Amino acid sequence: MNSLQSNSINRQVTLAARPNGEPKPSDFKLVETAIPTISQGQVLLRTVYLSLDPYMRGRMSDAESYADPVAINGVMVGGSVCRVEQTLNDNFKQGDWVVAFGGWQDYCVSDGVDLLKLPEQLAQKSYALGILGMPGLTAYMGLMDIGQPKEGETVVVAAATGAVGSLVGQIAKLNGCHVVGIAGGAEKCDYAVNQLGFDACVDHKSAGLNDALKQACPNGIDVYFENVGGAVFDAVLPLLNTKARVPLCGLISQYNATSLPDGPDRMGALMGRLLVKRIKMQGFIVFDDYGHRYSEFSDAMSNWLQQGQIKYKEHLVQGIENSADAFIGLLKGENFGKLVVQVGSENLAG
Amino acid sequence: MNSLQSNSINRQVTLAARPNGEPKPSDFKLVETAIPTISQGQVLLRTVYLSLDPYMRGRMSDAESYADPVAINGVMVGGSVCRVEQTLNDNFKQGDWVVAFGGWQDYCVSDGVDLLKLPEQLAQKSYALGILGMPGLTAYMGLMDIGQPKEGETVVVAAATGAVGSLVGQIAKLNGCHVVGIAGGAEKCDYAVNQLGFDACVDHKSAGLNDALKQACPNGIDVYFENVGGAVFDAVLPLLNTKARVPLCGLISQYNATSLPDGPDRMGALMGRLLVKRIKMQGFIVFDDYGHRYSEFSDAMSNWLQQGQIKYKEHLVQGIENSADAFIGLLKGENFGKLVVQVGSENLAG
C-alpha cells in the first residue's frame, strides 16, 4: 500500500522528454498539482490501480501511430481502476468502482461516457486491467479471430508469462492446440510449462533459440501470436507452416529502437515467405477493432476463471513514484506477470 | 500459325540450367522426342495454346517453394489448352478441347483426372488460360476474398495491363471503387485509363513514382493487390490506410534476384507498419486455396464478358520455339496483355 496518496494533492507522472531509445527515469517527472474540481455531469475519480503496458512506449514518441502522442509535460496515459470520490452525475454514486483511462495520476475527472463499471462480484479489482480487461481481450480476440487455432495445431507465443502471452497460450490449450511459449529465463519457462500448462517453453536468453524452437515445434507453427518481433520472429519465420496465421499484437523488441537494423533488407524476403507459404499476417488494435465484442470475451473468460481453467499472475508494484522504473523494466522483460501499480488504497478516502 | 508442329515429333522446351538471376536463352533447350503412346484410360493431348506466367520463374529455382522445381532437363511446366488427338478414355473423344497442365511441349499424355473440358460456347479457346482461367480466378479471388473492396474505397494494382492486374482493376471498378493502376510506360497507362476504365494509372518508368501515386490516391489506399513488390511496394506502403488489405499474389520484381537487397533491414519496419495501421497482408496460391470456387468465379466472369463489362487483351506469340524469349520478356514487363504462345493449329491434326 502506498501511504502518499492524499485527499489534497494530485500527484501526476508527466512526460518530461521524448525518449531516445530506452526510456530513462529523467524522461518522466513526478509533479504535484491541485485536485481538479468537477462540474455538473462529472465525477472525480481516485486511482487505485494503474496498468502499465508496452503500448505506452509508442505514446511517448511523436512518430505517426494509431493514437496521438502524449504531449511534453502532459500526463502519461494509461488504463486505471478507480473509485468515484465525488459525483455530479446521476449514473455514478460515491464509492463506485470503474475502469477508466485515467493516466498516471492520483485523480482525474470524467463525464462518465468512457467509464466501465466493474461487476460487483469481481473480487480482485485489478483484474479489470488484465485478464478481464485490455490484455485479456487482446489475447482472446487476436488468437481466436485472427489466429483461428484448430485442434491439434501448433500455437507459439512469446512473452509467454506476460499479461497477454500467458492468456494466449492457455486459451490455445483450451482449444486443443500444441502450445509452445518463448520467455526470458528458466524461471519463466518453468512457470509456463508447470503452472500455465504449456507443452513447452523455450528460453530466448539461452543460446540456440532457433534449434530449441524447432525441436519444440516438430510439426511447424500454425499460429504465431506476435508481440515481440526481432530475434524471436527470426526464429519463428522459417517454421511457419503453409496457411499459418500471424496476429500482430506488438513488437516490444523494436519499441526502443532509434534506427533500422543493418541490412540486408529482408522486407521483400518476408513478403516472399508470406506469399509462398500463403501466410496471413494481420495487425490489430484491440479496442478499436474488437471493443464491440467485449461481452463475448468477458463471458468466456469469467467462466474459465471461475472453473479454474485459466491461471493469471500479477506483478504488483506499490506507489505511483515507482511507475517510471517499473515501466522501464517492463520494456526489458523484468516483470513477471501483468504489471500493475497500486496507486492508492482500495478503501474510500475520507 | 506455327507450321512446325507435326504428328510425328514432340518438341519440348526443357530446363537446361537453373538461372542465376534473369533467365537467359541458354537456360532453356528445345529438344525433339517421340510422341508418347497411350495406355488404356489415357488420352494423347496436342498443345494448341500455352500459357506463360510469372510463377514459372519460381519453378526454375530449387529454393523451397510451394511446388517442386522443374528438374534439370525436365520439361518446363505450364497450363495449356489442348485438343484430344487420341483417346482410350471413355470420358473424352477425339477433338475435345481441354485445359491441361501440359507444359512447354507439343504433346502430352493424361489420365483425364486433371483435365477441364472447355465449354462449347467458348469462342476464343485461349481465354481459358487467362480471363476464364488461372489469372482470372487469381484476380477475382485475391481481390474479392482477401481484398474485400467496398464501394468508394481506393484499390491499387500494379502490372495494370497484365493478365491479372487488368482484371483486378476492372472488377474493382465494377464494385464501385476508385481504381489506380501502376504500369510501365505511357502506352500501357493510357490503355488502363482509356480502355480498361481505371481512374488513373501511374507510370513506374517515369521519375517521381511516389509523388504521382500519392496524387492519384488522395484518400490513401484501402486495397493493394500485390503482384510486383520492390520499388512499387515502397511507394504503396506509406499510403496504406488503417485496416488496408494486401492480397499477396506475386512479387515479379524479386523473381530474378540473386541476393537480398542492401540494408537497412526493413522487415521489422514493415511489421510495425502492419501493426500500427492494422493492415492484413495475406499470400495465396490460387488453385490450392480457391480451386473449389472456380464455378462461382466462372459464372461471374462469363457474365461480365458477355455484357461487355470487362475487356481483355492477349499478347499472342507464335511458335513454341519463341517461348523462352517471350518468357524472358514477360519478367521484364515487355508483354502487353496476357502472354500466350500458339504452339499448334486449332484444327484437328490429320
Side-chain angles (χ1 to χ4, degrees):
Chain A
M1 203 72 52
N2 166 26
S3 60
L4 292 175
Q5 193 175 56
S6 79
N7 57 10
S8 59
I9 289 172
N10 184 22
R11 295 168 307 162
Q12 303 177 314
V13 177
T14 62
L15 179 64
R18 302 209 181 280
N20 179 31
E22 284 184 22
K24 305 182 299 294
S26 62
D27 296 330
F28 304 88
K29 190 173 182 189
L30 185 66
V31 300
E32 298 191 349
T33 62
I35 296 176
T37 53
I38 57 174
S39 316
Q40 195 56 42
Q42 294 184 322
V43 291
L44 177 69
L45 301 175
R46 183 176 58 83
T47 308
V48 180
Y49 296 106
L50 167 67
S51 181
L52 294 182
D53 302 280
Y55 75 83
M56 294 168 173
R57 177 63 183 82
R59 304 291 176 92
M60 300 175 77
S61 297
D62 52 9
E64 188 194 356
S65 186
Y66 53 90
D68 288 336
V70 176
I72 295 293
N73 295 323
V75 178
M76 286 290 298
V77 294
S80 51
V81 163
C82 302
R83 294 202 82 169
V84 174
E85 289 291 327
Q86 298 170 17
T87 176
L88 293 174
N89 181 317
D90 292 343
N91 296 321
F92 299 91
K93 59 180 196 302
Q94 197 188 26
D96 277 353
W97 284 93
V98 296
V99 178
F101 200 70
W104 300 25
Q105 56 185 340
D106 284 320
Y107 292 93
C108 66
V109 170
S110 168
D111 62 5
V113 176
D114 58 341
L115 302 181
L116 195 68
K117 282 194 202 185
L118 294 197
E120 299 214 350
Q121 70 272 24
L122 184 64
Q124 184 58 50
K125 306 301 183 193
S126 58
Y127 278 24
L129 299 175
I131 185 167
L132 291 171
M134 188 266 283
L137 185 65
T138 300
Y140 182 87
M141 286 297 167
L143 178 66
M144 299 305 288
D145 195 66
I146 301 177
Q148 300 189 5
K150 296 177 201 64
E151 195 176 333
E153 287 191 330
T154 296
V155 173
V156 171
V157 63
T161 61
V164 173
S166 65
L167 298 174
V168 167
Q170 292 180 89
I171 299 169
K173 280 307 298 176
L174 289 168
N175 280 274
C177 297
H178 178 75
V179 174
V180 176
I182 302 171
E187 189 191 5
K188 287 180 179 176
C189 285
D190 183 70
Y191 178 81
V193 172
N194 294 313
Q195 298 297 319
L196 302 179
F198 286 26
D199 296 288
C201 188
V202 173
D203 181 359
H204 67 74
K205 289 185 174 171
S206 66
L209 169 62
N210 294 17
D211 288 344
L213 186 63
K214 192 172 180 177
Q215 236 173 352
C217 304
N219 298 317
I221 299 173
D222 300 295
V223 179
Y224 174 57
F225 190 102
E226 173 64 293
N227 47 19
V228 172
V232 169
F233 184 71
D234 294 350
V236 165
L237 184 58
L239 301 177
L240 289 174
N241 287 333
T242 295
K243 304 220 81 173
R245 287 82 67 196
V246 181
L248 265 179
C249 165
L251 294 164
I252 195 169
S253 75
Q254 294 180 193
Y255 291 168
N256 287 333
T258 53
S259 62
L260 295 174
D262 286 344
D265 182 4
R266 299 180 298 163
M267 185 170 86
L270 170 62
M271 292 171 68
R273 194 78 187 178
L274 301 186
L275 171 61
V276 163
K277 289 286 186 176
R278 301 137 66 192
I279 294 166
K280 176 175 75 171
M281 181 175 271
Q282 184 171 351
F284 68 106
I285 306 292
V286 71
F287 277 126
D288 293 348
D289 292 337
Y290 294 111
H292 62 291
R293 290 173 66 181
Y294 177 80
S295 62
E296 169 192 339
F297 147 74
S298 173
D299 290 351
M301 188 63 88
S302 302
N303 187 45
W304 285 327
L305 257 181
Q306 273 164 22
Q307 310 278 324
Q309 295 184 287
I310 291 232
K311 290 191 180 172
Y312 179 63
K313 189 183 183 76
E314 274 190 345
H315 183 127
L316 203 63
V317 169
Q318 295 296 333
I320 195 173
E321 67 277 14
N322 295 314
S323 303
D325 285 347
F327 178 69
I328 291 168
L330 171 71
L331 296 175
K332 297 175 182 165
E334 290 173 1
N335 60 305
F336 191 172
K338 169 70 187 105
L339 186 57
V340 172
V341 180
Q342 182 153 20
V343 175
S345 164
E346 290 203 356
N347 301 321
L348 266 185
Chain B
M1 203 72 51
N2 166 28
S3 59
L4 293 175
Q5 192 175 56
S6 81
N7 56 10
S8 58
I9 289 172
N10 184 21
R11 296 169 305 162
Q12 302 177 315
V13 177
T14 62
L15 179 65
R18 300 210 182 279
N20 179 31
E22 284 185 20
K24 303 182 299 293
S26 62
D27 295 330
F28 304 87
K29 191 173 182 188
L30 185 67
V31 302
E32 297 191 347
T33 63
I35 295 176
T37 53
I38 56 175
S39 315
Q40 196 55 43
Q42 294 183 325
V43 291
L44 177 69
L45 302 176
R46 182 176 59 81
T47 307
V48 180
Y49 297 105
L50 167 66
S51 181
L52 294 181
D53 303 279
Y55 76 84
M56 294 167 172
R57 176 63 183 84
R59 304 292 176 90
M60 299 175 78
S61 297
D62 52 9
E64 188 194 354
S65 187
Y66 54 90
D68 288 337
V70 175
I72 295 291
N73 295 323
V75 178
M76 285 291 297
V77 294
S80 50
V81 163
C82 301
R83 295 202 80 168
V84 174
E85 289 290 329
Q86 298 170 16
T87 177
L88 293 173
N89 181 317
D90 291 343
N91 296 321
F92 298 90
K93 59 180 196 302
Q94 196 188 27
D96 278 352
W97 285 92
V98 297
V99 178
F101 200 71
W104 299 25
Q105 56 185 339
D106 284 322
Y107 292 93
C108 65
V109 170
S110 168
D111 61 7
V113 176
D114 58 341
L115 301 181
L116 194 68
K117 283 195 200 182
L118 294 197
E120 301 214 347
Q121 69 271 24
L122 184 66
Q124 185 56 52
K125 306 302 184 192
S126 57
Y127 278 22
L129 300 174
I131 186 167
L132 292 170
M134 188 267 283
L137 185 64
T138 299
Y140 182 87
M141 285 297 168
L143 179 66
M144 299 305 287
D145 195 65
I146 300 177
Q148 300 190 4
K150 296 176 202 65
E151 195 176 332
E153 287 191 330
T154 296
V155 174
V156 171
V157 63
T161 60
V164 174
S166 65
L167 297 174
V168 167
Q170 291 180 91
I171 298 169
K173 280 305 298 176
L174 289 168
N175 280 274
C177 297
H178 178 76
V179 174
V180 177
I182 301 171
E187 189 191 6
K188 287 180 179 177
C189 285
D190 183 70
Y191 178 80
V193 172
N194 295 313
Q195 298 298 317
L196 302 180
F198 287 25
D199 295 288
C201 189
V202 173
D203 181 359
H204 67 75
K205 288 185 174 170
S206 65
L209 169 62
N210 294 17
D211 287 344
L213 186 62
K214 191 170 179 179
Q215 238 175 350
C217 304
N219 300 317
I221 299 173
D222 300 294
V223 179
Y224 174 56
F225 190 101
E226 174 63 293
N227 48 19
V228 171
V232 169
F233 183 71
D234 294 349
V236 164
L237 183 58
L239 300 178
L240 288 174
N241 288 332
T242 295
K243 304 219 80 171
R245 289 81 67 196
V246 181
L248 265 178
C249 165
L251 293 164
I252 196 169
S253 74
Q254 295 179 192
Y255 292 168
N256 287 333
T258 53
S259 63
L260 295 174
D262 287 342
D265 183 3
R266 298 180 299 163
M267 185 171 85
L270 171 62
M271 293 170 69
R273 193 81 187 175
L274 300 185
L275 170 60
V276 163
K277 289 286 187 176
R278 302 136 66 191
I279 293 165
K280 177 175 76 171
M281 180 176 270
Q282 185 171 352
F284 69 104
I285 306 292
V286 71
F287 278 127
D288 294 348
D289 293 335
Y290 294 110
H292 61 291
R293 291 173 66 181
Y294 178 80
S295 62
E296 169 193 338
F297 147 75
S298 174
D299 290 349
M301 190 63 90
S302 303
N303 188 46
W304 285 327
L305 257 182
Q306 275 164 22
Q307 309 280 324
Q309 294 184 286
I310 291 232
K311 290 191 180 174
Y312 178 65
K313 188 181 182 78
E314 274 190 343
H315 183 129
L316 203 63
V317 168
Q318 295 295 335
I320 195 172
E321 67 278 15
N322 296 314
S323 303
D325 285 346
F327 178 69
I328 291 167
L330 171 70
L331 296 176
K332 297 176 183 165
E334 291 173 359
N335 60 304
F336 192 171
K338 169 72 188 105
L339 187 57
V340 172
V341 179
Q342 181 151 21
V343 175
S345 165
E346 289 203 356
N347 301 321
L348 265 184

